[in-house]
Amino acid sequence: MKIRIKGNTLRYRLTKSDVETFCSTGFLSEKTAFATTQFSYELIAKEGISQLEADYTNNTITLYFPKAVTKDWATNETVGFENIHTTSAGDAISILIEKDFICMDQALEDQANHYPNPKL
């Protein structure tokens, strides 16, 4: 799982195995260790919601995903999900969670676990 942050925009990109794991367990997490603390970002399937939601607590960004949608996301053609979530403080956060496609340029990272790019 990769994360991209710009201002109040959050984007998670998931490989094939990430999507499969998330759909079967309802949870996915990554961590980055710094000298004095650890930063985490996670994806959690949540009952009772119909749109993506976001929170930040204890150095962790948590995106909540409607649990009902996890049932077949790993096997269907849906690329991703997006929502503009309004926080309890009234701020708008744009959220995008999507399957990670093979890059069209010559990326140096291993892309064997990425989804085929429909533009290739």
Side-chain angles (χ1 to χ4, degrees):
M1 178 169 59
K2 295 187 267 188
I3 186 172
R4 180 177 290 170
I5 303 171
K6 181 174 177 161
N8 273 17
T9 301
L10 299 171
R11 179 180 176 192
Y12 283 14
R13 289 173 45 190
L14 284 64
T15 63
K16 286 182 186 179
S17 59
D18 289 338
V19 173
E20 290 166 0
T21 298
F22 177 67
C23 288
S24 67
T25 67
F27 181 77
L28 205 57
S29 179
E30 292 284 343
K31 298 176 183 176
T32 303
F34 294 93
T36 59
T37 192
Q38 180 172 277
F39 169 73
S40 302
Y41 52 102
E42 58 190 19
L43 184 60
I44 297 176
K46 182 178 178 182
E47 293 280 359
I49 62 171
S50 60
Q51 295 289 329
L52 302 172
E53 297 179 357
D55 194 18
Y56 180 75
T57 311
N58 299 324
N59 296 324
T60 301
I61 296 172
T62 303
L63 297 187
Y64 295 100
F65 193 97
K67 187 168 186 172
V69 180
T70 63
K71 293 177 184 170
D72 64 350
W73 188 35
T75 58
N76 69 30
E77 298 297 314
T78 303
V79 173
F81 302 89
E82 61 185 317
N83 185 40
I84 297 179
H85 173 68
T86 303
T87 68
S88 59
D91 297 309
I93 299 177
S94 177
I95 306 168
L96 176 62
I97 300 172
E98 61 189 351
K99 294 174 178 174
D100 200 2
F101 291 125
I102 294 171
C103 294
M104 292 174 56
D105 59 5
Q106 299 296 332
L108 297 178
E109 72 178 288
D110 178 9
Q111 298 184 62
N113 193 22
H114 290 53
Y115 289 88
N117 192 313
K119 294 183 179 179
L120 290 177

